[in-house]
Amino acid sequence: MDYKKFIPWIVIVVVIFGLYSWVKGINNTAVVYEQEINRSWGDVQTAYQRRNDLIGNLVNTVKGAADFEKSTLTAVIAARAKATSITVDPTNISPEQLAAFNSAQSGVSSSLSRLLVSVEKYPDLKANENFLKLQDELASTENQILTSRTRFNEAVAPYNTHIKTFPNSLFAGAFGFKEKAYFQAVAGAEKPVEVKF
């Protein structure tokens, strides 16, 4: 029996299997990276949810101060409502979605800062144990948010690199993998903070 006639078939099978394994590796690696992005996004949402829950408790504590500025409380409540209304799909995070989310969360941070500054005028409130505990928990939560956002960006980097490098880029689009957006600093964050006394 002449085995030489089977050599071209064996070569074709080996090449097809090699191509299949290579393309499968591109897809599966992208899937693994995308799952890490989804997990990281869940951590981001959890940190923001914790802040929103604390804000509710903080607002209720501050409402107890009879003469506290109602407009400040209203601004915090409105900013929190706006921030919780924006949802982002982690499988299809676009720069526009992330910018809207970031802007809404920045509004919460800004109104919360105004609330905490205005508390300085209320010595009874500043001495309130619940308020002090909530203030500490909010500071801790802001650190968790920063860490979660940083880890999210760290998860996005290898995914984007994987799907954008050649030859992976030839197949990534066909498999439905798109570039993910990074968290960016809020517009104006590069300007120095103006302190007024």
Side-chain angles (χ1 to χ4, degrees), residues 39-191:
R39 186 201 58 76
S40 294
W41 182 251
D43 292 346
V44 169
Q45 288 182 310
T46 300
Y48 278 116
Q49 182 60 53
R50 176 169 165 68
R51 180 173 76 171
N52 286 334
D53 293 345
L54 288 171
I55 288 172
N57 293 336
L58 186 70
V59 166
N60 288 334
T61 302
V62 171
K63 275 183 183 176
D67 57 344
F68 193 81
E69 293 108 3
K70 301 299 181 216
S71 63
T72 307
L73 285 175
T74 304
V76 171
I77 293 167
R80 178 180 172 221
K82 180 180 178 189
T84 56
S85 70
I86 295 178
T87 57
V88 176
D89 176 13
T91 60
N92 191 25
I93 295 175
S94 68
E96 295 79 20
Q97 285 179 324
L98 208 51
F101 180 84
N102 209 17
S103 175
Q105 294 300 337
S106 175
V108 172
S109 296
S110 177
S111 63
L112 191 55
S113 295
R114 285 191 299 276
L115 172 73
L116 294 175
V117 166
S118 62
V119 163
E120 294 298 317
K121 301 177 202 168
Y122 300 90
D124 291 346
L125 192 53
K126 282 188 349 184
N128 181 315
E129 256 184 71
N130 285 340
F131 179 79
L132 293 173
K133 183 179 176 197
L134 287 168
Q135 200 172 13
D136 286 344
E137 286 186 40
L138 272 171
S140 170
T141 300
E142 291 299 327
N143 288 332
Q144 288 175 359
I145 288 170
L146 175 62
T147 301
S148 296
R149 287 170 53 137
T150 301
R151 288 184 180 154
F152 174 81
N153 281 351
E154 289 170 355
V156 168
Y159 169 84
N160 283 349
T161 301
H162 178 73
I163 67 161
K164 290 184 75 175
T165 54
F166 183 81
N168 298 358
S169 58
L170 298 174
F171 299 99
F175 294 142
F177 295 108
K178 298 176 192 160
E179 185 177 5
K180 307 284 187 196
Y182 291 95
F183 267 108
Q184 304 286 330
V186 178
E190 72 283 355
K191 296 175 186 168

